Amino acid sequence: MLDFETIRVNCRKASVSAVLLIFAAAAPFQASAAPSTFNDTTGHWAKSYITWAVDQKLANGYSDGSFQPNKLVSEAEFLAMLLRAYGLVSDAPPGGDWSKPYYEYADEHGWPLTHNNAGGAFRRGQAAQLLATAANGKAFTEQGAIQWLLDENISSGRTSATVSGFVPDGKLTRAEALTFFYNLKEHTTSLSAAKIASKETTLGGIALNDSLQELTQLLGKPLRIDQSEYGFSWYVYNGSYSNYMMFGVIDNQVTALFSNSGGSWRSGTGIEIGQSLAEAKKLTNSFADREEEDDYYAYTSANERVTLFIDRHDNDKIIGMIRMNQSSTATSQPAYSNTLQSGFELQMFDLVNAERAARGISALQWDKLAAAAARKHSNDMKLRDFFDHNNPDGISPFDRMSQEGVIYTTAAENIAAGYLNSIYAHYGWMNSTTGHRESLLNGKLKRLGTGIAFGGSYQIYYTQNFYTP
C-alpha cells in the first residue's frame, strides 16, 4: 500500500484501505392451470384471444380463477410469449432465471431489447419494434415498426390506425399482447431466422448522441439525476441493480454511457462485459491513446473515449464500461459542490449493489447513521491531512459508528482517496488485495452508508461504512 503521509492526489495513483470487525426475477405468467372460464373475462373484448392463448400454452390464469387481462406486461413476459407462440424456445429448468433462454435467443438474433423489467416499464412502441424486427429479420425504428403493424393489419391502433393513435408510450396489457400474437401468427407463419448485426454500441437501446427525448421515451424517467464532474448530468436508472445504467446528458443529448451489466449493453465493436482484457485488446490494436492501469484499460476510437474496468481477481475480465464522447472528457478542475458530493455518495452506494447483483448477492440497505459516520471521517481525513481508519486521536471506525448510534454485530469500513470519481474508486476497491473487495461482496453485511469530502491533499476522500444489526 502506498504511504499516506507522502502520496498526493493523482487520478491514476490513489489509495484505498479496508478494515473488518465481526462479533458473531419477475415470475412468468404461468401461475396455475387455466380453468375453462375465467372469472374476469366474461364480456371482455379480448376473450377469444385469451382462449386461443391459453390453448396455445402462451399464458395461464391465476390460482384465484382470474386471468387479469388488464395486468401490465413486462418485456421478458412479452418476449417469452412471442417465442412460445412460434415454438422457438423451451422454458428454463425450474429454479433458474426463467427468462434467460428467451433473452439468449433474442440477443443472438439482434432483436431490440432493453433487459429492463421494472414494473410498468414496457411500452407499446417497444412491443411493436420487437414484433416487426422478429417477423422481418431487419432493424426497424419504433415509428417504422408501428407503421408496419398498421399497414399489415396486425394492429389497428389503440385510439386510431395512426402512429400517434397506436399510443407508443402507452403500457401494454396482457389482453393487448395476446391480440398482437394472434394477429401476427395469422400474418406470419414463422419468424425470421436472420441475425441483425449491430452497427453501434448501445446501452439499454440508447447510443451516444441520442436525444434526451429518445432516452426517456425508451426507458422512462430516471429515478435520480446526479451532477457529474464533467459538466453533464448523470441520468441514473437503478430500479433494478441487475440492469444498473447511467446516461450522461448535456444540452438534451446523451454524451456518456456507463453500466456493469452485460445484459444492458449491445456491442457494435465486439467488446463486451465478461470478455477478457486480452480479447478486447485484439479488437483495439488500431485505436489511439491506449492506456492500461491497475483497474482499467482505456482507448480512443474516432470521437469516443472508452474505459473498460477490469477484474484482476477473475482473469482480467471486463466488469464495467464507460463510453463517452471525447469532447466531454476534456474538463477543467471540477466545480466541487454539495450537489456533486451527494451524487458521488449515492453512486458509490449504487455501484456496490450493482456489483453484488451481478454475482447474485443480496443488495445492501442505505443507512443514514452509517452515512453520517462515513462523511465525518472523510471530512476529518481532509481537514487533518491523514489517510487511515483510525484518526489521530485513536478513534476507530467502529467507535465512530457507535457514536452515531449504529448498533452492529458485524461491521466493516473501506476508505479511498485521490480517485477521479466514485466509479474509479469502486473499481480500485474491487481490485484491492487488502480486504475491500471482501467487504463489497460480503453477503453477511446488510447495510451501508457512504461519505465523500472534497479538498485536502488528495482532493477527494471516500469512506464506506458497512454493518449488520
Side-chain angles (χ1 to χ4, degrees):
M1 182 180 296
L2 297 173
D3 187 337
F4 73 88
E5 292 182 347
T6 58
I7 189 169
R8 292 296 180 262
V9 64
N10 187 313
C11 289
R12 300 194 182 99
K13 289 185 180 179
S15 285
V16 294
S17 183
V19 64
L20 172 68
L21 182 67
I22 303 177
F23 288 109
F29 273 162
Q30 293 88 327
S32 69
S36 56
T37 302
F38 296 107
N39 59 29
D40 58 352
T41 60
T42 300
H44 193 280
W45 65 268
K47 182 176 181 180
S48 61
Y49 299 107
I50 293 169
T51 301
W52 168 81
V54 171
D55 182 63
Q56 295 292 310
K57 295 182 171 56
L58 304 192
N60 285 337
Y62 293 88
S63 58
D64 63 357
S66 69
F67 187 80
Q68 300 182 31
N70 297 324
K71 183 179 180 181
L72 298 183
V73 176
S74 71
E75 179 184 79
E77 290 167 338
F78 187 84
L79 174 62
M81 289 191 292
L82 171 61
L83 290 173
R84 288 183 199 138
Y86 287 91
L88 292 172
V89 176
S90 300
D91 288 352
D97 178 1
W98 69 268
S99 66
K100 184 177 180 180
Y102 303 108
Y103 273 116
E104 286 179 342
Y105 183 95
D107 289 342
E108 181 183 356
H109 287 77
W111 293 356
L113 296 166
T114 68
H115 291 252
N116 177 11
N117 283 291
F122 193 56
R123 299 180 299 102
R124 288 171 55 84
Q126 291 171 266
Q129 191 175 26
L130 179 55
L131 291 175
T133 300
N136 294 281
K138 64 180 183 179
F140 277 78
T141 64
E142 197 168 293
Q143 180 172 330
I146 293 170
Q147 191 62 59
W148 181 80
L149 293 181
L150 297 173
D151 291 343
E152 300 300 321
N153 296 315
I154 296 169
S155 172
S156 57
R158 179 179 276 182
T159 62
S160 67
T162 63
V163 171
S164 61
F166 184 87
V167 190
D169 290 337
K171 308 305 181 184
L172 189 71
T173 67
R174 295 185 77 184
E176 290 174 327
L178 299 178
T179 304
F180 280 150
F181 299 135
Y182 179 86
N183 290 338
L184 185 67
K185 285 213 72 178
E186 288 290 297
H187 178 278
T188 304
T189 58
S190 62
L191 298 181
S192 173
K195 296 182 179 180
I196 305 166
S198 175
K199 296 181 180 180
E200 58 185 350
T201 296
T202 61
L203 176 61
I206 297 297
L208 289 177
N209 302 313
D210 279 352
S211 68
L212 174 58
Q213 182 180 8
E214 289 175 284
L215 172 63
T216 56
Q217 282 183 343
L218 183 60
L219 299 181
K221 293 181 179 180
L223 294 184
R224 195 176 72 242
I225 300 176
D226 295 339
Q227 181 182 337
S228 82
E229 73 280 16
Y230 295 103
F232 57 71
S233 297
W234 281 117
Y235 279 55
V236 180
Y237 290 81
N238 60 355
S240 167
Y241 281 119
S242 296
N243 297 290
Y244 181 67
M245 299 178 288
M246 298 202 306
F247 299 85
V249 176
I250 190 169
D251 297 330
N252 294 317
Q253 187 175 58
V254 175
T255 192
L257 312 168
F258 169 80
S259 181
N260 73 322
S261 170
S264 298
W265 288 103
R266 292 292 170 270
S267 176
T269 63
I271 295 174
E272 301 174 336
I273 300 292
Q275 186 178 57
S276 72
L277 178 58
E279 292 175 295
K281 284 182 175 179
K282 293 177 183 177
L283 298 171
T284 62
N285 282 336
S286 61
F287 295 151
D289 300 327
R290 285 172 287 143
E291 62 173 300
E292 183 173 353
E293 297 292 340
D294 291 341
D295 311 319
Y296 67 87
Y297 173 78
Y299 62 92
T300 299
S301 171
N303 296 317
E304 180 180 352
R305 184 67 171 172
V306 182
T307 303
L308 308 175
F309 294 98
I310 311 303
D311 189 345
R312 299 296 186 183
H313 295 272
D314 188 11
N315 301 310
D316 291 352
K317 286 184 180 177
I318 300 170
I319 57 171
M321 179 161 48
I322 295 176
R323 308 188 78 93
M324 186 182 301
N325 282 331
Q326 183 71 7
S327 59
S328 294
T329 66
T331 61
S332 56
Q333 179 69 24
Y336 295 138
S337 66
N338 291 338
T339 303
L340 185 62
Q341 178 187 33
S342 176
F344 275 21
E345 289 171 344
L346 293 173
Q347 288 166 27
M348 187 161 50
F349 174 80
D350 282 343
L351 287 162
V352 176
N353 279 337
E355 202 71 61
R356 291 164 74 96
R359 291 163 172 75
I361 304 169
S362 60
L364 295 166
Q365 179 182 339
W366 175 263
D367 190 89
K368 64 180 182 180
L369 298 180
R375 182 179 278 192
K376 287 179 181 179
H377 186 55
S378 289
N379 195 54
D380 192 25
M381 288 191 290
K382 175 195 75 172
L383 293 175
R384 294 204 275 178
D385 198 19
F386 73 95
F387 180 72
D388 203 336
H389 294 287
N390 293 334
N391 69 20
D393 302 322
I395 303 299
S396 75
F398 316 109
D399 296 328
R400 292 190 295 272
M401 281 189 267
S402 295
Q403 289 170 1
E404 293 297 328
V406 173
I407 300 173
Y408 59 87
T409 57
T410 304
E413 179 176 89
N414 284 346
I415 59 175
Y419 287 92
L420 177 64
N421 56 39
S422 293
I423 297 173
Y424 285 84
H426 171 78
Y427 288 106
W429 283 325
M430 280 298 296
N431 286 297
S432 167
T433 58
T434 53
H436 308 88
R437 181 189 182 95
E438 288 77 5
S439 296
L440 293 173
L441 304 180
N442 187 339
K444 295 180 180 180
L445 293 169
K446 302 301 180 184
R447 298 185 182 181
L448 171 61
T450 64
I452 302 287
F454 295 125
S457 299
Y458 282 93
Q459 295 186 19
I460 310 178
Y461 293 79
Y462 304 84
T463 303
Q464 292 177 321
N465 285 154
F466 306 80
Y467 78 97
T468 299

